[in-house]
Every structure is written in structure tokens, then in C-alpha cells.
Amino acid sequence: MGNKEMLEIFVCEDDDKQREDVVKIIKDYIWMQDYDIAFDLASSDPRELLSHIFEKQEDFTGLYFLDIELDSDINGIALASKIRQIDPSAKIVFITTHIELMSLTFDYKVEAMGFITKDNNKMKEQIIDCISVAVERYLNIKKDTEDYIIIKRGFSSIKLNVSEIQFIETSEISHQLLINMKNRQVSFYGKISEIEKLNPNFYRCHQSYVVNIKNIDRIEKSNREIYMIDGNKCHASVRYLRGLLSKLEKLQ
């Protein structure tokens, strides 16, 4: 995942048609949402999947959709157990025609988050529900050394790294805000007056702007322009400029 942390999805299913169906459901849903989530690998071979996640050599969390009966000496439950050794935070969902095998997951201590019966008319809905639950749990894990904020966009949530946020501004669209980041811009609906409360590094510098003070490169006092470390700029008003300068001094 490099510097951009996100949840990654993997599929292991030895039936080509069923694997393609599951992958299509997953990719279509990800495309429709704005989750920090990526589809990584689909394979019929459990050893290929294990080798792939082992070679990533990164801290990551995966969501795995696994067939229980695989054309291999490693069945889906044993595969899940081996996945846990590589990816302790793995979120595992079994897709099977034999729901009675569910009890075996307790013997292997794989802690599956879901079981989906193949070829039932709710299969798509259940896969989507598992993705949504996995994303929600992922976003709510204990924060690591970096700060994040979570914003809501309709029925989805987005986790944003504060260190990448330059400033937030109001949009021409009523009640819409724009988060300007190092490499992208994210829009959502909210109130600019409430943004400052999301993180101690945010400061209301203008009626239409909240700036991340840690990403300020310099401030031109003559025209009250704030230049960010990514080269972008926003504005400060006379009302807020003195407080902004005071807060910057405290960081030095």
C-alpha cells in the first residue's frame, strides 16, 4: 500500500465462473463508492495467494473472500489460518455450498466475519454488506502514529491522513466543502465552522477557509495569502490573521 494506507480485498475460488462473479460484484461496488479500499488479487490457487501477501512485506489489512472447498491440498479454512499468521488483522469471509463446515472455523480459530452460501439470490447483497462492515471496522481501528479524520459521504466513510490535508474551503455548491490534499481534492457536505474541531492542527483563518497549520510554508502579511508546502495557497482575513500568526509561533 506504500504511503497510502487502505483496506485490500483478495479472493480465492477455484471455480472460474464463480470467481469472476464474485470479483465483478466487488469491483462494481468499489467503483460506485469512495472508500479507501482496493481490489488486489483473485486466484484459484491458495499457495499463490499466500505467496502474494507474504511478499508484499508491508503493514496492511486484507478482506478475504475464500471458498472452503478448493482444488488443492489446502482447503479454505486451513488457508484462512495461514493468512492469519501473515495478516493478523485479516477480515475473512467464507463463500461455500457447505454451510455445515462453519463449525470447523472454530477448530482452526480463524474468527470469520461472515459466511455466504453460493448461488443464493442474496449473494451480491451479502458480499456488499461484508465489504461495508469490513470498511467500517477498519476505519474505527485504533489510530497509529499518524492522525486521521473520518468524513461521511452519503452512506460511505473516508479516512483521511491529516498530514496530507493542506486546507479546507467552501465550495460554490451550497453546504459543500472541499478538502485540498497533497495529491487530490475531496468534496463532502458539512459546515466550515465545525471543521476546526476535527483536529488541533486545523485553524479557521477566513470565513471560507480552515488551514492545516503544520503544512503552511509561509504567510504573506501584505495581502494575507497563505502558501502551503505543496505550492497551493489560501487566504486569511484580518479578523483571523493575528490568531493564526500566534498559533504558528507556538509551533516553532
Side-chain angles (χ1 to χ4, degrees):
M1 293 185 291
N3 293 327
K4 182 172 173 55
E5 185 180 352
M6 63 175 62
L7 187 68
E8 301 185 32
I9 299 181
F10 306 84
V11 174
C12 192
E13 164 65 67
D14 60 1
D15 184 287
D16 292 344
K17 176 64 167 59
Q18 291 177 338
R19 186 174 63 254
E20 290 171 4
D21 289 345
V22 171
V23 170
K24 186 177 188 308
I25 291 169
I26 294 169
K27 287 185 174 180
D28 286 350
Y29 184 63
I30 292 176
W31 183 81
M32 292 173 61
Q33 305 300 315
D34 197 2
Y35 289 150
D36 278 337
I37 186 169
F39 185 86
D40 192 307
L41 176 72
S43 177
S44 62
D45 183 356
R47 295 186 187 282
E48 180 187 12
L49 174 56
L50 289 171
S51 176
H52 178 74
I53 63 175
F54 180 78
E55 290 176 0
K56 289 172 74 65
Q57 296 184 348
E58 300 171 7
D59 291 328
F60 72 99
T61 299
L63 169 58
Y64 302 83
F65 289 91
L66 309 177
D67 183 12
I68 290 183
E69 290 191 304
L70 294 166
D71 186 17
S72 170
D73 59 334
I74 303 175
N75 65 33
I77 299 175
L79 171 60
S81 180
K82 292 178 182 297
I83 286 171
R84 280 253 179 262
Q85 297 173 22
I86 302 171
D87 182 6
S89 300
K91 290 150 179 59
I92 294 169
V93 179
F94 291 110
I95 302 179
T96 181
T97 54
H98 297 281
I99 205 70
E100 69 274 8
L101 296 176
M102 180 175 65
S103 61
L104 291 177
T105 64
F106 296 103
D107 297 334
Y108 280 82
K109 298 179 175 60
V110 296
E111 300 176 14
M113 66 171 285
F115 291 85
I116 298 174
T117 304
K118 288 184 180 181
D119 302 323
N120 77 86
N121 56 11
K122 292 187 177 180
M123 183 173 170
K124 178 178 179 180
E125 176 184 330
Q126 290 171 338
I127 289 174
I128 289 173
D129 183 58
C130 285
I131 296 174
S132 297
V133 171
V135 170
E136 194 65 31
R137 290 179 182 177
Y138 177 72
L139 293 178
N140 288 321
I141 61 174
K142 185 178 180 179
K143 289 183 179 181
D144 56 19
T145 55
E146 298 198 79
D147 287 333
Y148 294 87
I149 63 170
I150 295 175
I151 62 170
K152 294 283 187 179
R153 292 191 61 184
F155 296 104
S156 64
S157 300
I158 310 175
K159 183 179 179 182
L160 301 176
N161 191 328
V162 170
S163 67
E164 295 182 0
I165 296 174
Q166 305 299 299
F167 59 88
I168 300 95
E169 63 181 313
T170 57
S171 165
E172 295 179 356
I173 300 174
S174 180
H175 304 299
Q176 186 184 76
L177 301 177
L178 301 175
I179 299 181
N180 293 275
M181 306 185 69
K182 288 183 179 179
N183 298 310
R184 60 174 173 153
Q185 190 178 69
V186 177
S187 64
F188 72 107
Y189 286 93
K191 297 180 179 178
I192 195 76
S193 59
E194 297 177 354
I195 297 301
E196 188 177 21
K197 304 172 187 176
L198 295 180
N199 190 275
N201 293 321
F202 291 170
Y203 183 80
R204 180 81 177 272
C205 59
H206 188 280
Q207 183 176 352
S208 301
Y209 295 95
V210 169
V211 68
N212 182 352
I213 58 174
K214 284 202 169 182
N215 283 335
I216 293 176
D217 180 56
R218 70 184 192 279
I219 298 175
E220 297 288 346
K221 296 179 185 178
S222 59
N223 54 12
R224 301 187 303 279
E225 288 189 338
I226 304 170
Y227 289 84
M228 312 305 296
I229 60 175
D230 69 343
N232 210 338
K233 67 179 180 179
C234 63
H235 305 278
S237 65
V238 174
R239 175 184 175 186
Y240 294 106
L241 182 59
R242 180 178 296 178
L244 175 60
L245 294 172
S246 174
K247 197 158 186 175
L248 277 175
E249 288 178 3
K250 292 178 181 178
L251 286 178
Q252 297 174 352

